[in-house]
Structures are given as C-alpha cells and as structure tokens.
Amino acid sequence: IRNAIHVVSKSILIEMFSRQGRVLLQAGALPAAATVFERAHDEFQALKSSGILEKVTKKGTSSSSSGGGGNHLLSKQNIVKNIPTQILVNEGLLHFAHMDYDLAEIKFNNAIQIQRKDQGKELNLQEGGHYNFQNSLLLDSIIDSEGDLLVPCLNNFALCALYTCRMREAITLMEALIREDPTRYLTHCIVFNLCTLYELGWDNAMSDKKKQVLQLVAKRFSLHDIGAESFRLN
C-alpha cells in the first residue's frame, strides 16, 4: 500500500508538471516549459530506477499480502499507466515547438506504440519509409488527458508528417484511424483538420467529395456532436 501511494503521488506530480509545461508552450515560454518538463522527467526516472513503478503496476500477478490485487487495480489507472507516454509526449511537444519535426515524430511514434500495447494492438506505423496507419491534433487536445493518450499522440504524429512535407501520409493516417473505429476517432478536431488537408491536397471538386464521404460516415454512426461547420463545405 505504501508503494502504491508513493507511485500515485509521483504520478500526480508528473501530470501536474506536464500540464504546466504545455501551458507554458502555448504561451511561447519554451525555456520555462523545458525546465518544467525536465522536472517531470526527473521524477519519472527516479520512480523507474527505484523499481517501485514496475512492481506496483505489474499486471496479472498477485504477489503476497502487500496487495497484488491492489497493484492490478492501480495498473488500470490512467494517471499511472500513462506516465511513460506523458514523458514522451512532453519531449515530442518540445521538439515540435522548436520545429524539430523529425525528432518530434519519433517521440510521438514511441508514445503511440506504448498506448497500442496497453490496448493489445501494437502496430508498426512505419514500414519501408511509409506510414500505414493512424491519426489526430496537438496542444489543445492533449491538455485534457482524461482517458488514454492515443488520439492526441496520433494527432501530433500526423501533424509532424504534415510539417515534414508528407501531407498525403498524414491524410492516410487519419483516414485509416477513422476506418478502424469511427465512433471513437471521428471527432470535431479530426474532421476539421482532415478537411483542411483535403483542401490543401486536392482541387475543389475532389476535396468536396471527400468531405461529403466523411459527412456520410458521421451520419451513419449518429455522431451528432460534429457540427456542419467542421466539414468546411460551402
């Protein structure tokens, strides 16, 4: 129990530093954000090197009377299981803010792999230099870290592909994710960004056609929270 309390308290501290750093990034205070992110990283490294994090969050084991069942329950808590992802996202956002898009892409890719493993769906986003999956946005969407971090990580990853002049790959990532689970991934932000990419990548006729397909998918799955303005149709 003592170890579990220690892990939770440190997880909350890492979450607080991460949120503070992202606010500083939004304000353009990059050096201050880097300092706060470093504090989060130091807390994570101390927790990791102590071995307590692995011991407490290890799934499927019931170790002794010190609380194997509690450990299993704790491993399901987002604020704990997302710690490694939080650190990678922090680093990715900082690289992105410095316009180091290739490095940011690597960080987000690693974060995606962790999230996919948690869901039992590990996949390779890069094969032979081409992307074969996924999607999502940047700072605003990741400030609210309720639930898993997969969608914002994928969003950031797609934005990196866009900024490194691989717009079609970014579109492929978004479309593939929507095909996987429209009810989860077809959100206002994703629709708006994807429709913007359509406008940049195709002429008006083809762009409108692709937007209309998205609109039909949203109707098919009764996604009423996506407003008509998200599809950017005239």
Side-chain angles (χ1 to χ4, degrees), residues 212-234:
Q212 288 164 2
V213 170
L214 280 183
Q215 202 169 39
L216 288 173
V217 173
K219 286 182 179 179
R220 169 66 179 81
F221 288 91
S222 302
L223 304 177
H224 303 300
D225 57 328
I226 303 176
E229 68 280 0
S230 302
F231 298 96
R232 298 174 63 88
L233 285 165
N234 295 326

PDB file of all heavy atoms in Angstrom, residues 212-234:
ATOM      1  N   GLN A 212     -17.697  15.100 -48.185  1.00  0.00           N
ATOM      2  CA  GLN A 212     -19.045  14.540 -48.143  1.00  0.00           C
ATOM      3  C   GLN A 212     -19.046  13.082 -47.669  1.00  0.00           C
ATOM      4  O   GLN A 212     -19.976  12.650 -46.989  1.00  0.00           O
ATOM      5  CB  GLN A 212     -19.691  14.658 -49.526  1.00  0.00           C
ATOM      6  CG  GLN A 212     -20.072  16.084 -49.883  1.00  0.00           C
ATOM      7  CD  GLN A 212     -20.341  16.284 -51.361  1.00  0.00           C
ATOM      8  OE1 GLN A 212     -20.275  15.331 -52.148  1.00  0.00           O
ATOM      9  NE2 GLN A 212     -20.616  17.519 -51.759  1.00  0.00           N
ATOM     10  N   VAL A 213     -17.999  12.347 -48.026  1.00  0.00           N
ATOM     11  CA  VAL A 213     -17.872  10.974 -47.534  1.00  0.00           C
ATOM     12  C   VAL A 213     -17.747  10.968 -46.012  1.00  0.00           C
ATOM     13  O   VAL A 213     -18.398  10.175 -45.319  1.00  0.00           O
ATOM     14  CB  VAL A 213     -16.658  10.267 -48.179  1.00  0.00           C
ATOM     15  CG1 VAL A 213     -16.391   8.935 -47.487  1.00  0.00           C
ATOM     16  CG2 VAL A 213     -16.894  10.046 -49.664  1.00  0.00           C
ATOM     17  N   LEU A 214     -16.937  11.870 -45.487  1.00  0.00           N
ATOM     18  CA  LEU A 214     -16.801  11.991 -44.032  1.00  0.00           C
ATOM     19  C   LEU A 214     -18.138  12.326 -43.386  1.00  0.00           C
ATOM     20  O   LEU A 214     -18.496  11.792 -42.333  1.00  0.00           O
ATOM     21  CB  LEU A 214     -15.782  13.076 -43.671  1.00  0.00           C
ATOM     22  CG  LEU A 214     -14.296  12.741 -43.737  1.00  0.00           C
ATOM     23  CD1 LEU A 214     -13.486  13.941 -43.270  1.00  0.00           C
ATOM     24  CD2 LEU A 214     -13.955  11.522 -42.898  1.00  0.00           C
ATOM     25  N   GLN A 215     -18.860  13.225 -44.025  1.00  0.00           N
ATOM     26  CA  GLN A 215     -20.166  13.639 -43.506  1.00  0.00           C
ATOM     27  C   GLN A 215     -21.131  12.458 -43.468  1.00  0.00           C
ATOM     28  O   GLN A 215     -21.891  12.294 -42.500  1.00  0.00           O
ATOM     29  CB  GLN A 215     -20.724  14.765 -44.369  1.00  0.00           C
ATOM     30  CG  GLN A 215     -21.759  15.625 -43.692  1.00  0.00           C
ATOM     31  CD  GLN A 215     -22.065  16.876 -44.490  1.00  0.00           C
ATOM     32  OE1 GLN A 215     -22.142  16.840 -45.723  1.00  0.00           O
ATOM     33  NE2 GLN A 215     -22.229  18.002 -43.807  1.00  0.00           N
ATOM     34  N   LEU A 216     -21.096  11.613 -44.495  1.00  0.00           N
ATOM     35  CA  LEU A 216     -21.952  10.431 -44.537  1.00  0.00           C
ATOM     36  C   LEU A 216     -21.587   9.435 -43.441  1.00  0.00           C
ATOM     37  O   LEU A 216     -22.464   8.814 -42.829  1.00  0.00           O
ATOM     38  CB  LEU A 216     -21.848   9.758 -45.913  1.00  0.00           C
ATOM     39  CG  LEU A 216     -22.511  10.492 -47.077  1.00  0.00           C
ATOM     40  CD1 LEU A 216     -22.181   9.805 -48.392  1.00  0.00           C
ATOM     41  CD2 LEU A 216     -24.019  10.568 -46.871  1.00  0.00           C
ATOM     42  N   VAL A 217     -20.281   9.294 -43.188  1.00  0.00           N
ATOM     43  CA  VAL A 217     -19.834   8.393 -42.112  1.00  0.00           C
ATOM     44  C   VAL A 217     -20.342   8.900 -40.763  1.00  0.00           C
ATOM     45  O   VAL A 217     -20.818   8.124 -39.930  1.00  0.00           O
ATOM     46  CB  VAL A 217     -18.299   8.282 -42.100  1.00  0.00           C
ATOM     47  CG1 VAL A 217     -17.828   7.482 -40.873  1.00  0.00           C
ATOM     48  CG2 VAL A 217     -17.800   7.607 -43.371  1.00  0.00           C
ATOM     49  N   ALA A 218     -20.234  10.209 -40.554  1.00  0.00           N
ATOM     50  CA  ALA A 218     -20.713  10.793 -39.298  1.00  0.00           C
ATOM     51  C   ALA A 218     -22.211  10.556 -39.117  1.00  0.00           C
ATOM     52  O   ALA A 218     -22.673  10.234 -38.014  1.00  0.00           O
ATOM     53  CB  ALA A 218     -20.403  12.285 -39.268  1.00  0.00           C
ATOM     54  N   LYS A 219     -22.976  10.679 -40.197  1.00  0.00           N
ATOM     55  CA  LYS A 219     -24.413  10.429 -40.125  1.00  0.00           C
ATOM     56  C   LYS A 219     -24.711   8.967 -39.870  1.00  0.00           C
ATOM     57  O   LYS A 219     -25.595   8.609 -39.089  1.00  0.00           O
ATOM     58  CB  LYS A 219     -25.091  10.878 -41.424  1.00  0.00           C
ATOM     59  CG  LYS A 219     -25.206  12.382 -41.586  1.00  0.00           C
ATOM     60  CD  LYS A 219     -25.944  12.735 -42.873  1.00  0.00           C
ATOM     61  CE  LYS A 219     -26.089  14.244 -43.029  1.00  0.00           C
ATOM     62  NZ  LYS A 219     -26.791  14.595 -44.293  1.00  0.00           N
ATOM     63  N   ARG A 220     -23.940   8.098 -40.534  1.00  0.00           N
ATOM     64  CA  ARG A 220     -24.154   6.657 -40.397  1.00  0.00           C
ATOM     65  C   ARG A 220     -23.979   6.204 -38.958  1.00  0.00           C
ATOM     66  O   ARG A 220     -24.697   5.326 -38.465  1.00  0.00           O
ATOM     67  CB  ARG A 220     -23.173   5.912 -41.313  1.00  0.00           C
ATOM     68  CG  ARG A 220     -23.074   4.415 -41.103  1.00  0.00           C
ATOM     69  CD  ARG A 220     -24.365   3.698 -41.451  1.00  0.00           C
ATOM     70  NE  ARG A 220     -24.251   2.272 -41.278  1.00  0.00           N
ATOM     71  CZ  ARG A 220     -24.351   1.630 -40.120  1.00  0.00           C
ATOM     72  NH1 ARG A 220     -24.588   2.312 -39.004  1.00  0.00           N
ATOM     73  NH2 ARG A 220     -24.234   0.317 -40.052  1.00  0.00           N
ATOM     74  N   PHE A 221     -23.043   6.803 -38.250  1.00  0.00           N
ATOM     75  CA  PHE A 221     -22.770   6.408 -36.872  1.00  0.00           C
ATOM     76  C   PHE A 221     -23.375   7.383 -35.859  1.00  0.00           C
ATOM     77  O   PHE A 221     -23.025   7.353 -34.674  1.00  0.00           O
ATOM     78  CB  PHE A 221     -21.254   6.283 -36.653  1.00  0.00           C
ATOM     79  CG  PHE A 221     -20.650   5.086 -37.336  1.00  0.00           C
ATOM     80  CD1 PHE A 221     -20.156   5.181 -38.619  1.00  0.00           C
ATOM     81  CD2 PHE A 221     -20.614   3.855 -36.702  1.00  0.00           C
ATOM     82  CE1 PHE A 221     -19.613   4.079 -39.268  1.00  0.00           C
ATOM     83  CE2 PHE A 221     -20.062   2.743 -37.332  1.00  0.00           C
ATOM     84  CZ  PHE A 221     -19.567   2.853 -38.623  1.00  0.00           C
ATOM     85  N   SER A 222     -24.278   8.234 -36.339  1.00  0.00           N
ATOM     86  CA  SER A 222     -25.028   9.158 -35.464  1.00  0.00           C
ATOM     87  C   SER A 222     -24.117  10.018 -34.598  1.00  0.00           C
ATOM     88  O   SER A 222     -24.341  10.165 -33.394  1.00  0.00           O
ATOM     89  CB  SER A 222     -25.998   8.354 -34.584  1.00  0.00           C
ATOM     90  OG  SER A 222     -26.891   7.600 -35.369  1.00  0.00           O
ATOM     91  N   LEU A 223     -23.095  10.582 -35.204  1.00  0.00           N
ATOM     92  CA  LEU A 223     -22.154  11.433 -34.478  1.00  0.00           C
ATOM     93  C   LEU A 223     -22.650  12.880 -34.537  1.00  0.00           C
ATOM     94  O   LEU A 223     -22.133  13.717 -35.268  1.00  0.00           O
ATOM     95  CB  LEU A 223     -20.752  11.287 -35.073  1.00  0.00           C
ATOM     96  CG  LEU A 223     -20.214   9.857 -35.104  1.00  0.00           C
ATOM     97  CD1 LEU A 223     -18.849   9.802 -35.782  1.00  0.00           C
ATOM     98  CD2 LEU A 223     -20.114   9.286 -33.685  1.00  0.00           C
ATOM     99  N   HIS A 224     -23.663  13.154 -33.733  1.00  0.00           N
ATOM    100  CA  HIS A 224     -24.351  14.436 -33.803  1.00  0.00           C
ATOM    101  C   HIS A 224     -23.546  15.593 -33.222  1.00  0.00           C
ATOM    102  O   HIS A 224     -23.899  16.758 -33.417  1.00  0.00           O
ATOM    103  CB  HIS A 224     -25.697  14.338 -33.072  1.00  0.00           C
ATOM    104  CG  HIS A 224     -26.591  13.249 -33.602  1.00  0.00           C
ATOM    105  ND1 HIS A 224     -27.023  13.224 -34.911  1.00  0.00           N
ATOM    106  CD2 HIS A 224     -27.111  12.137 -32.996  1.00  0.00           C
ATOM    107  CE1 HIS A 224     -27.784  12.157 -35.090  1.00  0.00           C
ATOM    108  NE2 HIS A 224     -27.851  11.484 -33.957  1.00  0.00           N
ATOM    109  N   ASP A 225     -22.477  15.291 -32.490  1.00  0.00           N
ATOM    110  CA  ASP A 225     -21.687  16.364 -31.881  1.00  0.00           C
ATOM    111  C   ASP A 225     -20.739  17.020 -32.881  1.00  0.00           C
ATOM    112  O   ASP A 225     -20.081  18.006 -32.549  1.00  0.00           O
ATOM    113  CB  ASP A 225     -20.897  15.830 -30.688  1.00  0.00           C
ATOM    114  CG  ASP A 225     -19.994  14.667 -31.057  1.00  0.00           C
ATOM    115  OD1 ASP A 225     -20.368  13.903 -31.967  1.00  0.00           O
ATOM    116  OD2 ASP A 225     -18.924  14.517 -30.443  1.00  0.00           O
ATOM    117  N   ILE A 226     -20.661  16.490 -34.098  1.00  0.00           N
ATOM    118  CA  ILE A 226     -19.818  17.094 -35.131  1.00  0.00           C
ATOM    119  C   ILE A 226     -20.670  18.048 -35.942  1.00  0.00           C
ATOM    120  O   ILE A 226     -21.558  17.628 -36.693  1.00  0.00           O
ATOM    121  CB  ILE A 226     -19.199  16.023 -36.037  1.00  0.00           C
ATOM    122  CG1 ILE A 226     -18.389  15.021 -35.218  1.00  0.00           C
ATOM    123  CG2 ILE A 226     -18.294  16.682 -37.079  1.00  0.00           C
ATOM    124  CD1 ILE A 226     -17.824  13.877 -36.037  1.00  0.00           C
ATOM    125  N   GLY A 227     -20.419  19.345 -35.794  1.00  0.00           N
ATOM    126  CA  GLY A 227     -21.216  20.347 -36.477  1.00  0.00           C
ATOM    127  C   GLY A 227     -20.918  20.399 -37.973  1.00  0.00           C
ATOM    128  O   GLY A 227     -19.846  19.975 -38.435  1.00  0.00           O
ATOM    129  N   ALA A 228     -21.851  20.923 -38.724  1.00  0.00           N
ATOM    130  CA  ALA A 228     -21.694  21.039 -40.186  1.00  0.00           C
ATOM    131  C   ALA A 228     -20.474  21.879 -40.554  1.00  0.00           C
ATOM    132  O   ALA A 228     -19.824  21.633 -41.566  1.00  0.00           O
ATOM    133  CB  ALA A 228     -22.951  21.626 -40.796  1.00  0.00           C
ATOM    134  N   GLU A 229     -20.139  22.859 -39.693  1.00  0.00           N
ATOM    135  CA  GLU A 229     -19.020  23.736 -39.989  1.00  0.00           C
ATOM    136  C   GLU A 229     -17.681  22.988 -39.976  1.00  0.00           C
ATOM    137  O   GLU A 229     -16.697  23.431 -40.589  1.00  0.00           O
ATOM    138  CB  GLU A 229     -18.970  24.903 -39.005  1.00  0.00           C
ATOM    139  CG  GLU A 229     -18.618  24.536 -37.564  1.00  0.00           C
ATOM    140  CD  GLU A 229     -19.787  23.983 -36.782  1.00  0.00           C
ATOM    141  OE1 GLU A 229     -20.903  23.879 -37.346  1.00  0.00           O
ATOM    142  OE2 GLU A 229     -19.595  23.654 -35.588  1.00  0.00           O
ATOM    143  N   SER A 230     -17.635  21.843 -39.288  1.00  0.00           N
ATOM    144  CA  SER A 230     -16.391  21.066 -39.200  1.00  0.00           C
ATOM    145  C   SER A 230     -15.969  20.538 -40.555  1.00  0.00           C
ATOM    146  O   SER A 230     -14.772  20.329 -40.808  1.00  0.00           O
ATOM    147  CB  SER A 230     -16.557  19.904 -38.229  1.00  0.00           C
ATOM    148  OG  SER A 230     -16.925  20.353 -36.943  1.00  0.00           O
ATOM    149  N   PHE A 231     -16.934  20.315 -41.445  1.00  0.00           N
ATOM    150  CA  PHE A 231     -16.637  19.711 -42.744  1.00  0.00           C
ATOM    151  C   PHE A 231     -16.199  20.745 -43.784  1.00  0.00           C
ATOM    152  O   PHE A 231     -15.836  20.382 -44.895  1.00  0.00           O
ATOM    153  CB  PHE A 231     -17.865  18.940 -43.256  1.00  0.00           C
ATOM    154  CG  PHE A 231     -18.257  17.799 -42.359  1.00  0.00           C
ATOM    155  CD1 PHE A 231     -19.246  17.961 -41.397  1.00  0.00           C
ATOM    156  CD2 PHE A 231     -17.621  16.577 -42.468  1.00  0.00           C
ATOM    157  CE1 PHE A 231     -19.608  16.913 -40.563  1.00  0.00           C
ATOM    158  CE2 PHE A 231     -17.980  15.520 -41.645  1.00  0.00           C
ATOM    159  CZ  PHE A 231     -18.976  15.683 -40.684  1.00  0.00           C
ATOM    160  N   ARG A 232     -16.265  22.010 -43.434  1.00  0.00           N
ATOM    161  CA  ARG A 232     -15.755  23.093 -44.285  1.00  0.00           C
ATOM    162  C   ARG A 232     -16.346  23.048 -45.700  1.00  0.00           C
ATOM    163  O   ARG A 232     -15.656  23.298 -46.693  1.00  0.00           O
ATOM    164  CB  ARG A 232     -14.221  23.031 -44.361  1.00  0.00           C
ATOM    165  CG  ARG A 232     -13.541  23.221 -43.006  1.00  0.00           C
ATOM    166  CD  ARG A 232     -12.057  23.019 -43.110  1.00  0.00           C
ATOM    167  NE  ARG A 232     -11.436  23.992 -43.989  1.00  0.00           N
ATOM    168  CZ  ARG A 232     -10.996  25.193 -43.609  1.00  0.00           C
ATOM    169  NH1 ARG A 232     -11.107  25.565 -42.325  1.00  0.00           N
ATOM    170  NH2 ARG A 232     -10.419  26.005 -44.465  1.00  0.00           N
ATOM    171  N   LEU A 233     -17.630  22.709 -45.776  1.00  0.00           N
ATOM    172  CA  LEU A 233     -18.321  22.690 -47.055  1.00  0.00           C
ATOM    173  C   LEU A 233     -19.015  24.036 -47.295  1.00  0.00           C
ATOM    174  O   LEU A 233     -19.645  24.574 -46.388  1.00  0.00           O
ATOM    175  CB  LEU A 233     -19.347  21.559 -47.095  1.00  0.00           C
ATOM    176  CG  LEU A 233     -18.792  20.145 -47.274  1.00  0.00           C
ATOM    177  CD1 LEU A 233     -19.840  19.107 -46.926  1.00  0.00           C
ATOM    178  CD2 LEU A 233     -18.279  19.951 -48.700  1.00  0.00           C
ATOM    179  N   ASN A 234     -18.905  24.535 -48.497  1.00  0.00           N
ATOM    180  CA  ASN A 234     -19.552  25.820 -48.821  1.00  0.00           C
ATOM    181  C   ASN A 234     -21.062  25.613 -49.032  1.00  0.00           C
ATOM    182  O   ASN A 234     -21.490  24.610 -49.553  1.00  0.00           O
ATOM    183  CB  ASN A 234     -18.933  26.417 -50.093  1.00  0.00           C
ATOM    184  CG  ASN A 234     -17.483  26.763 -49.867  1.00  0.00           C
ATOM    185  OD1 ASN A 234     -17.089  27.167 -48.767  1.00  0.00           O
ATOM    186  ND2 ASN A 234     -16.649  26.604 -50.906  1.00  0.00           N
TER     187      ASN A 234
END
